[in-house]
C-alpha cells in the first residue's frame, strides 16, 4: 500500500515538474518577444547604441531564445536566478526579502476566509430561504463582485474617519524599530525577539489589507459551502438520522461539515496560489512592499530575471498548494484518495 502511495506521489510530482517547465518556457519566450529592450531600459535613453549592444551581449540577449532559455534553466537549477535590472541585486536575494511579507499577508487572508466563510455557509444553509440566508447571500454577492482594491480604499477611509489611530499604511510602526529576524515574517520575528509591541503593531497593520484581500474568497467559499451543505442535507442518510430524532446541529457538525468542506478546501487551494497574483493592488494601496508589488514592478520595468522568478515562485506555490489540498481532501474522504475514486 505504501509503495502504491509513493508511486502516485512520484507520478504527481513528475506532472507538476512538467507543468512548471512548460510554464517557465512560455513566460520566457513571451517576456522576450514583447516590445522593449531590457538593455536599453537598464542603461537609459542617453546610452549609445554601442553601449547597449555590449550590454545585450553580456546579458546573452543576442543569442537565440532557446539558447538563452537553456542557459537560464541551467543557472536556475544551481540557485542562480540572475540579477534584477531594477534593484541591482541578485533576484534570489530580492525574493528572500519580499516574499515573506506577501506570505504573511496571504496566510492571514486565508485564516480570515476560513474563520468567516465556512461558518457563514453553514448558517445560511441551515436557515435557507430566511432573512439570515438572504443577508448571507447578499454579503457573498458583494464580496465576489466588488474588486479588492475598492474594499481596500473603503477600509482605509472608514478607519481614517472613525478610528484615526488605526494604522493604514506599511507593515509596522516605523518608530518601533522592527527586528530583522531570521524568517522575514514580522509576527514570527517579533515573537522570537520577545517584542510584544512589534507583534501587536504588525498585527494591527495586517488586519485591514488581509480583510480587503479576503472579501472575494469569503463570498466565493460561503456560496460553495452553502450549496454543498444544502445538497448533503437532502441525502438519504441525513433524512434517516432526522427520522431517528438526531438533532440537526449534531447532524450538521458531526456528519455533514467534514463532507461539505471538500469543495471549499479545493477552492482555497487555488485561492492560496492566486492570492500572490491578486495581492499587488492591495499591497500598493497599503504600501505593503511585498512580493506582489515586486512582481508588478518587474512587469512594468521589463525586468526579465525578476519577472521569470515571480512566475516560477507563483507556479511552485500553485503546485504545492494543490498537492497539499489533494492530501487533505484524501484524508477527509478516503474515496477520493489520490484521485482513486471509482477505481
Amino acid at each position: 500500500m505504501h509503495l502504491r502511495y509513493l508511486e502516485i506521489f512520484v507520478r504527481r510530482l513528475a506532472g507538476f515538474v512538467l507543468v512548471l517547465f512548460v510554464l517557465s518556457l512560455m513566460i520566457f519566450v513571451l517576456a522576450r518577444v514583447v516590445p522593449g529592450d531590457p538593455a536599453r531600459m537598464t542603461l537609459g535613453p542617453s546610452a549609445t547604441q554601442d553601449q547597449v549592444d555590449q550590454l545585450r551581449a553580456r546579458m546573452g540577449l543576442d543569442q537565440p531564445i532557446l539558447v538563452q532559455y537553456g542557459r537560464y534553466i541551467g543557472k536556475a537549477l544551481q540557485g542562480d536566478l540572475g540579477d534584477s535590472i531594477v534593484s541591482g541585486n541578485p533576484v534570489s536575494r530580492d525574493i528572500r526579502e519580499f516574499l515573506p511579507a506577501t506570505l504573511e499577508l496571504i496566510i492571514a487572508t486565508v485564516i480570515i476566509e476560513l474563520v468567516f466563510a465556512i461558518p457563514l455557509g453553514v448558517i445560511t444553509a441551515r436557515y435557507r430561504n430566511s432573512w439570515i440566508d438572504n443577508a448571507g447571500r447578499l454579503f457573498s454577492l458583494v464580496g465576489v463582485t466588488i474588486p479588492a482594491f475598492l474594499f481596500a480604499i473603503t477600509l482605509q477611509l472608514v478607519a481614517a474617519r472613525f478610528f484615526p489611530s488605526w494604522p493604514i499604511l506599511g507593515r509596522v510602526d516605523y518608530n518601533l524599530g522592527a527586528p530583522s529576524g531570521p524568517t522575514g515574517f514580522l509576527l514570527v520575528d517579533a515573537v522570537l525577539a520577545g517584542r510584544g509591541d512589534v507583534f501587536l503593531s504588525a498585527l494591527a497593520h495586517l488586519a485591514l489589507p488581509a480583510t480587503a484581500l479576503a472579501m472575494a474568497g469569503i463570498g466565493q467559499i460561503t456560496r460553495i459551502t452553502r450549496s454543498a451543505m444544502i445538497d448533503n442535507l437532502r441525502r438519504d442518510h441525513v433524512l434517516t438520522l432526522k427520522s431517528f430524532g438526531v438533532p440537526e446541529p449534531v447532524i450538521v457538525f458531526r456528519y455533514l461539515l467534514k463532507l461539505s468542506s471538500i469543495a471549499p478546501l479545493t477552492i482555497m487551494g487555488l485561492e492560496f496560489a492566486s492570492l500572490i497574483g491578486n495581492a499587488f493592488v492591495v499591497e500598493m494601496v497599503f504600501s505593503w512592499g511585498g512580493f506582489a508589488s515586486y512582481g508588478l514592478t518587474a512587469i512594468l520595468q521589463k525586468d526579465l530575471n525578476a519577472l521569470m522568478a515571480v512566475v516560477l515562485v507563483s507556479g511552485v506555490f500553485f503546485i504545492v498548494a494543490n498537492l497539499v489540498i489533494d492530501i487533505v481532501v484524501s484524508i477527509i474522504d478516503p474515496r477520493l484518495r489520490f484521485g482513486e475514486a471509482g477505481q
Side-chain angles (χ1 to χ4, degrees):
M1 183 63 73
H2 294 297
L3 289 176
R4 173 63 176 160
Y5 286 164
L6 181 61
E7 178 188 345
I8 295 171
F9 178 79
V10 170
R11 193 165 63 237
R12 286 289 182 89
L13 191 61
F16 290 151
V17 171
L18 178 61
V19 170
L20 198 59
F21 167 74
V22 174
L23 177 67
S24 66
L25 180 59
M26 289 177 58
I27 297 301
F28 192 89
V29 173
L30 287 174
R32 277 157 176 77
V33 298
V34 295
D37 187 345
R40 170 62 69 183
M41 296 180 72
T42 302
L43 296 174
S46 59
T48 64
Q49 189 58 45
D50 288 340
Q51 291 173 320
V52 173
D53 291 340
Q54 291 175 9
L55 182 58
R56 284 178 58 81
R58 287 203 302 271
M59 296 172 70
L61 297 176
D62 56 343
Q63 299 294 320
I65 288 181
L66 289 180
V67 174
Q68 295 180 41
Y69 178 75
R71 290 179 176 175
Y72 178 84
I73 289 297
K75 291 182 178 178
L77 292 175
Q78 301 174 32
D80 182 6
L81 297 174
D83 295 334
S84 166
I85 63 173
V86 175
S87 68
N89 299 323
V91 172
S92 55
R93 183 194 300 176
D94 287 344
I95 292 174
R96 287 195 298 271
E97 178 181 351
F98 290 105
L99 187 57
T102 296
L103 286 182
E104 194 170 58
L105 175 61
I106 290 175
I107 292 172
T109 300
V110 172
I111 292 174
I112 292 174
E113 291 176 355
L114 272 176
V115 169
F116 287 96
I118 292 182
L120 187 58
V122 172
I123 292 172
T124 52
R126 169 65 179 79
Y127 297 99
R128 59 186 177 280
N129 298 326
S130 67
W131 70 268
I132 296 176
D133 185 23
N134 293 333
R137 292 163 65 186
L138 178 61
F139 178 78
S140 303
L141 184 63
V142 170
V144 171
T145 53
I146 295 181
F149 76 89
L150 278 183
F151 281 119
I153 295 172
T154 303
L155 288 174
Q156 275 189 330
L157 294 175
V158 171
R161 175 67 178 82
F162 298 102
F163 309 98
S165 61
W166 196 275
I168 58 174
L169 292 175
R171 296 181 64 195
V172 68
D173 289 338
Y174 294 112
N175 57 358
L176 290 179
S180 56
T183 69
F185 293 82
L186 268 181
L187 294 176
V188 176
D189 291 339
V191 171
L192 294 177
R195 296 287 304 276
D197 53 345
V198 174
F199 181 85
L200 293 176
S201 175
L203 200 60
H205 282 75
L206 191 58
L208 296 185
T211 302
L213 200 56
M215 291 301 294
I218 291 175
Q220 190 176 13
I221 295 169
T222 297
R223 291 157 66 94
I224 293 173
T225 304
R226 177 183 178 275
S227 299
M229 285 294 295
I230 290 176
D231 288 341
N232 289 324
L233 281 169
R234 295 169 178 163
R235 292 181 180 272
D236 292 340
H237 69 281
V238 175
L239 298 177
T240 302
L241 289 172
K242 287 183 178 178
S243 67
F244 279 100
V246 179
E248 188 161 325
V250 175
I251 297 174
V252 169
F253 290 103
R254 184 170 181 181
Y255 298 103
L256 295 185
L257 186 57
K258 188 170 73 173
L259 187 61
S260 302
S261 63
I262 294 174
L265 283 175
T266 305
I267 294 298
M268 290 197 71
L270 302 175
E271 176 85 2
F272 184 86
S274 65
L275 281 174
I276 293 181
N278 296 335
F280 68 91
V281 176
V282 174
E283 287 192 359
M284 291 183 65
V285 172
F286 288 96
S287 298
W288 193 253
F291 189 66
S293 301
Y294 178 74
L296 179 63
T297 303
I299 294 172
L300 296 177
Q301 299 293 329
K302 208 173 189 304
D303 190 348
L304 299 183
N305 290 331
L307 177 60
M308 281 294 299
V310 169
V311 173
L312 289 177
V313 170
S314 301
V316 168
F317 273 99
F318 185 84
I319 289 169
V320 172
N322 276 277
L323 183 60
V324 170
I325 290 299
D326 280 351
I327 295 172
V328 172
V329 169
S330 70
I331 293 174
I332 293 176
D333 188 349
R335 297 173 302 171
L336 304 177
R337 184 159 295 156
F338 295 104
E340 291 180 317
Q343 294 182 12

